[in-house]
Amino acid sequence: MKRNQIFKIYGKDYKDMTKALLEVSNLASMLNPETRIGIKPNLVTPTPAEYGATTHPEVVAGIIEYLQENGCRHIVIIESSWIGDKTSEAYEYCGYRKITEKYHVDFIDVQQEPYETYDCSGMKLKICKRVEEIDFMINVPVMKGHGQTRITCALKNMKGLIPNIEKRHFHTMGLHKPIAYLSAGIRQDFIVVDHICGDLEMEDGGNPVETNCVMTALDPVLVDSYVCHLLGYEISDVKYIGLAETLGIGSSNLDSCKISVYERDESGDVRLKKEFPAPLQDDYEEKSNYSGNLLEVSYAIEEADSCSACYASLAPALLRLKEEGLYEQLLENLPGTISIGQGFTGKTGYLGVGNCCSAFERYVPGCPPDEEAVYHMLLEYIK
Ligand code: SF4
């Protein structure tokens, strides 16, 4: 597999199709029995993968089976949930305890581990110390939309390897820059994208869009650029992609990117079905699944360094009002935008969400407030 390639496979037997795709990607040629391998899924919340936020355990099971069948002996799964949820709960509810027990691999909960400050191409970032013990990182993100950064996939998934204190710090730095620099601090050697049913609007799921696809790649910048293409964004809409490219992490040049789609026959053998340059995207159905509603409601929000969990309460509340035909009414009544984020701490204003806006005339308390509270406050406001 070359750095300008992305391989894809479609189907519903997630474990076996993942193994088949790893076979044609020739992952084993990059490893030896002594390589210490880390598998980094996305367990952002304790919700099942069908909900659209977390990595399917079947995909991770397929990776582990493939690695073990190829003689790899040192495999760990490493991850942390977002602020507000416990990784230990996601480990249970997302089916990862069963995997670790079945395949006898360790699970490292980053929330419970010590961290150290590392120099990431000039930016000092706190990273879990256990990452040092990994020779080869297999990143297994879910392809999703994201309320603040538009998309989340390969580059942003590395955020699960930093402690909560650094996650908060990331938000005060505007997310894009530290995400790019983190990718300079933690090398991802191989990427397996769970593109089975990610939520194409919010990172915490709830509106999964079924695609039943798994992708493999070597270049995280290229993968994220391709995701922008699939979701109808310009690469420049997602600033961390260009920043990571500037740092030498990879290439966003889709003109030189080749997509290879594989399929399995009835006996399970895998063969190349078609190949095409990425800009000639033929997966029209995938592209048309994105509604664009989130982008529309984001114009009502003024965000300054907000935490993901806080934003993830406001945006769905606005989407709900939109579905109910009340969003336009809200816009007509609003004298400005709805403020959210740590950047509003101590500042005054009219309408805010979260304790950071406690000095505002009206605000929804909570850190973060829940979606229901935000929805009812906005509803009251309309009335
Ligand atoms: S109120 Fe929201 S933005 Fe402020 S610290 Fe709490 S979760 Fe973060």
Side-chain angles (χ1 to χ4, degrees), residues 168 305-307 309-310 340-342 353-356 366-369:
R168 282 192 201 279
D305 309 334
S306 81
C307 302
C310 213
I340 184 168
Q342 298 171 65
V353 168
N355 287 353
C356 290
C367 181

